[in-house]
């Protein structure tokens, strides 16, 4: 049995889908506040669901009972609920999940993180580092995945290019190559890592198939959507000032991530090794699909 924490999220649900396609038994840790339609979709795939919360160790012990492998994609950065925090959920809660997995006799734990060494300090980077260290000391066979910037987020309308308004944001100079990676490709790496000897007791940083600058990405959007995009330049100095002056943990974390992007975060990682490798999604293909989807959507 494979327990997936974060199973209703974008990455977690894609991991679950791929595991079920392979016929693997999956149990999903879902919260009482999880969207009912997302839980129903998991159950329709034949997934066993169990209610729990990373802040409730007793519920984690129940969820981990009889489990061989645990996969965690949990982060509160986009799905925060009342009572959540980076310290209590991402950090202490993830450690509790690791402890529950060990107490239940699980043999393997896969944790989705990112390369915190390339991002200024923030509540999220501190939590990820602490959990990685705790997992390494746990005695469980571990795999720590450190994917690069997700295309769906860092090339999406909120953080980068909004095709509807024809606008884009560029962080810093925007000329460093970045290996953006698709969520589906991260899910594929995660599933392959469960049975790959090279992924045992390993930390694996990886990115997409090509390094492309933010400014080149804007040009791809302009080509695929057939119109110019008005670019707002966000200087590195402004991001650093925002990071230094942030009082709120979420503001501090977002500022740190944007500052990391301005400094070329994820440009020097490589595609997964041969054992985990496959044909990954190029940025142009991602943008082309997004443009095709928009053009196929009837105007209201």
């Amino acid at each position: 049995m494979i327990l997936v924490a974060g199973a209703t999220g974008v990455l977690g649900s894609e991991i679950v889908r791929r595991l079920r396609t392979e016929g693997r038994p999956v149990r999903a840790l879902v919260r009482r506040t999880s969207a009912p339609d997302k839980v129903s979709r998991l159950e329709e795939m034949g997934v066993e669901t169990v209610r729990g919360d990373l802040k409730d160790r007793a519920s984690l012990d129940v969820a981990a009972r009889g489990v061989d492998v645990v996969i965690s994609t949990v982060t509160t950065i986009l799905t925060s609920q009342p009572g959540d925090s980076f310290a209590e959920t991402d950090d202490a809660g993830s450690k509790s999940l690791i402890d529950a997995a060990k107490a239940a006799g699980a043999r393997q734990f896969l944790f989705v993180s990112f390369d915190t060494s390339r991002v200024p300090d923030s509540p999220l980077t501190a939590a990820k580092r602490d959990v990685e260290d705790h997992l390494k000391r746990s005695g469980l066979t571990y795999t720590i995945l450190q994917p690069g910037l997700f295309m769906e987020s860092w090339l999406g309308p909120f953080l980068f290019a909004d095709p509807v308004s024809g606008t884009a944001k560029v962080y810093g100079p925007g000329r460093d190559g970045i290996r953006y990676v698709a969520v589906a490709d991260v899910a594929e790496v995660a599933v392959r890592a469960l049975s790959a000897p090279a992924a045992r007791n390993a930390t694996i940083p990886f990115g997409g198939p090509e390094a492309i600058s933010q400014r080149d990405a804007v040009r791809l959007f302009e080509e695929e959507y057939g119109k110019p995009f008005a670019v707002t330049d966000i200087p590195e100095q402004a991001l650093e000032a925002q990071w230094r002056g942030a009082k709120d943990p979420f503001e501090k974390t977002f500022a740190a991530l944007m500052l990391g992007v301005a400094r070329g975060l994820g440009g020097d990682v490589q595609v997964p090794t041969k054992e985990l490798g496959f044909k990954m999604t190029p940025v142009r293909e991602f943008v082309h699909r997004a443009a095709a989807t928009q053009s196929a959507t009837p105007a209201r």
Side-chain angles (χ1 to χ4, degrees):
M1 177 65 75
I2 301 172
L3 174 66
V4 180
T8 59
V10 175
L11 175 58
S13 61
E14 181 62 19
I15 290 173
V16 167
R17 187 188 69 78
R18 289 167 186 262
L19 290 171
R20 289 301 299 141
T21 298
E22 294 184 0
R24 302 201 198 190
V26 177
R27 180 182 298 160
L29 177 65
V30 299
R31 299 203 280 190
R32 298 191 183 280
T33 54
S34 295
D37 59 324
K38 293 182 179 180
V39 176
S40 294
R41 280 198 289 272
L42 293 172
E43 293 173 342
E44 288 166 4
M45 286 190 284
V47 175
E48 175 190 341
T49 58
V50 58
R51 294 291 192 278
D53 193 294
L54 293 192
K55 301 186 297 296
D56 178 3
R57 171 59 191 270
S59 72
L60 301 182
D61 289 329
V62 172
R65 194 173 297 151
V67 162
D68 300 308
V69 177
V70 177
I71 299 173
S72 178
T73 66
V74 172
T75 178
T76 62
I77 190 166
L78 295 176
T79 59
S80 180
Q81 299 286 333
D84 282 340
S85 69
F86 293 116
E88 294 298 322
T89 307
D90 288 64
D91 195 334
S94 294
K95 291 175 184 175
S96 289
L97 182 60
I98 292 168
D99 294 343
K102 183 175 182 179
R107 58 179 174 80
Q108 187 175 9
F109 197 107
L110 186 148
F111 179 59
V112 179
S113 184
F114 63 93
D115 184 359
T116 60
S117 69
R118 304 300 300 274
V119 179
D121 284 338
S122 74
L124 179 60
T125 54
K128 290 293 188 183
R129 280 196 299 267
D130 285 350
V131 175
E132 288 185 13
D133 290 342
H134 188 76
L135 179 55
K136 291 174 183 177
R137 295 192 303 265
S138 69
L140 292 164
T141 297
Y142 69 86
T143 302
I144 298 169
L145 297 184
Q146 295 180 337
L149 300 175
F150 286 9
M151 294 179 185
E152 288 79 359
S153 298
W154 290 96
L155 293 178
F158 179 68
L159 291 172
F160 187 66
D162 183 356
V164 175
S165 63
T167 59
K169 294 186 282 285
V170 169
Y171 305 95
R175 296 184 180 85
D176 292 326
I178 296 172
R179 287 188 176 271
Y180 298 96
V181 63
V183 165
D185 292 345
V186 177
E188 181 65 22
V189 172
V191 171
R192 292 183 178 219
L194 297 182
S195 55
R200 293 174 186 162
N201 297 323
T203 298
I204 305 172
F206 67 96
E210 60 188 341
I212 180 171
S213 74
Q214 295 177 72
R215 297 197 184 277
D216 284 341
V218 171
R219 282 190 280 273
L220 284 181
F221 273 88
E222 291 177 330
E223 291 171 10
E224 292 294 338
Y225 282 89
K227 63 180 182 181
F229 278 60
V231 175
T232 298
D233 290 298
I234 306 177
E236 182 177 335
Q237 295 87 342
L239 293 170
E240 185 167 352
Q242 182 182 346
W243 169 69
R244 291 187 183 280
K247 302 295 190 293
D248 175 83
F250 286 89
E251 182 187 354
K252 185 81 169 181
T253 292
F254 271 114
L257 292 171
M258 290 185 289
L259 189 51
V261 175
R263 294 172 177 173
L265 171 66
D268 56 356
V269 294
Q270 300 301 314
V271 295
T273 58
K274 184 176 181 181
E275 197 170 2
L276 300 173
F278 54 94
K279 185 180 182 298
M280 302 182 79
T281 307
V283 170
R284 181 179 287 279
E285 182 178 330
F286 169 79
V287 178
H288 178 76
R289 288 178 184 172
T293 299
Q294 180 172 303
S295 64
T297 302
R300 296 190 177 185

